[in-house]
Amino acid sequence: MSLTKRSVDVAGIPVGYYEDGPSAGTVPPIALVHGGTGHPETSFAGLLEAFAPDRPVLVPGYSGSDLTPLPQDGEVDVDLLADQVLGVIRASGKGPADLFGISTGAVVAAAAAARAPELVRRTVLLGGFLHYRHPWQRLLVRTWRKLAELDANAFAEFTLLHVLSDRFLDSMSPVERLQLRSGLAPTEGMVELVDFVGRVDITEHVTKIEAPTLVLGMTHDQLVPVRYAREFRAAIPGADYVELDSGHAAAIEVPEELFKTINAFLA
């Protein structure tokens, strides 16, 4: 994998992103939109390498990630993040693009598809949600946020417990668990994205999505339980739905099945 790092100014914020894959061709580019852990280059496990031989790949890092700073007031909203993703597609000169968003990135990708239909060909949304305001969701966000204040290690472990299914976590070696946990310590950007999850509501955005859309739910998802994925799908006009036998981090747990599912929809 040979990533080229670039940057584009969007509303006064330098938005970092990576490019990979062929510079031109007949296959549309794909933009991979990361989740709230804030590490665009590692959020997709082997998917980036799988896509890159055949099509241009864009990996935007929106505010809160380690590629792009937060705005001056420190607070993000979904339109800001969506416009940053769209700014990367425009800067690449390769649109319209397919979008693949994971978790919080699925929320951002959905908003981007709604805000600029002319830049989005097809959309795949994994582990996404309309909002995080149901009682179970609010309790999780409050606990997550409090752990960020009190104990960085506990925050990382709490995150790991929710992004992986219990069976997959049990199958990992201690070294593998430690490697994943080490990337989940709370940063300023990550904490703001946790707060963002508690505020965001894209109920109105998704009614404006025109691109064919596939929503992916995970049967063993402990961060976005599958009923919220089904709720998400039901709100998007004409959306397709596939359920994977996985926890939230399907790119880690079932990468081959996930890649085949995405490719079949984007073909």
Side-chain angles (χ1 to χ4, degrees), residues 37-241:
T37 57
H39 303 295
E41 67 280 12
T42 59
S43 290
F44 302 97
L47 287 179
L48 203 161
E49 293 92 332
F51 282 120
D54 300 317
R55 62 162 72 205
V57 179
L58 304 169
V59 188
Y62 52 72
S63 283
S65 75
D66 52 12
L67 288 182
T68 302
L70 294 169
Q72 286 190 346
D73 65 4
E75 186 171 302
V76 301
D77 62 56
V78 73
D79 291 336
L80 170 74
L81 302 186
D83 286 349
Q84 291 177 349
V85 171
L86 294 168
V88 167
I89 295 172
R90 291 188 180 99
S92 76
K94 298 173 181 174
D98 294 327
L99 291 182
F100 172 54
I102 290 180
S103 192
T104 307
V107 176
V108 174
R115 287 176 69 77
E118 74 281 3
L119 287 179
V120 179
R121 190 186 76 102
R122 285 179 172 252
T123 305
V124 180
L125 308 172
L126 182 147
F129 47 90
L130 287 174
H131 57 75
Y132 225 77
R133 294 179 179 173
H134 292 300
W136 183 91
Q137 294 170 316
R138 292 201 307 269
L139 179 59
L140 187 141
V141 167
R142 286 201 301 269
T143 305
W144 211 358
R145 186 64 174 81
K146 195 66 176 177
L147 287 173
E149 298 173 8
L150 298 176
D151 188 328
N153 285 329
F155 175 93
E157 291 182 346
F158 184 79
T159 305
L160 194 61
L161 278 170
H162 285 82
V163 299
L164 295 174
S165 65
D166 54 341
R167 67 180 182 186
F168 189 83
L169 189 59
D170 285 347
S171 74
M172 298 174 72
S173 70
V175 171
E176 289 170 330
R177 291 195 299 272
L178 182 61
Q179 287 174 336
L180 274 180
R181 191 181 69 177
S182 65
L184 297 173
T187 63
E188 179 186 8
M190 193 186 300
V191 171
E192 168 52 23
L193 291 174
V194 171
D195 288 342
F196 165 73
V197 166
R199 296 190 302 265
V200 70
D201 187 339
I202 58 168
T203 302
E204 293 187 8
H205 287 78
V206 297
T207 63
K208 302 172 185 175
I209 294 176
E210 298 178 9
T213 298
L214 172 64
V215 173
L216 298 175
M218 278 65 69
T219 306
H220 306 287
D221 197 329
Q222 300 181 90
L223 188 61
V224 182
V226 71
R227 63 193 178 95
Y228 300 134
R230 295 169 184 159
E231 175 186 65
F232 191 36
R233 178 268 185 116
I236 301 174
D240 292 332
Y241 181 76

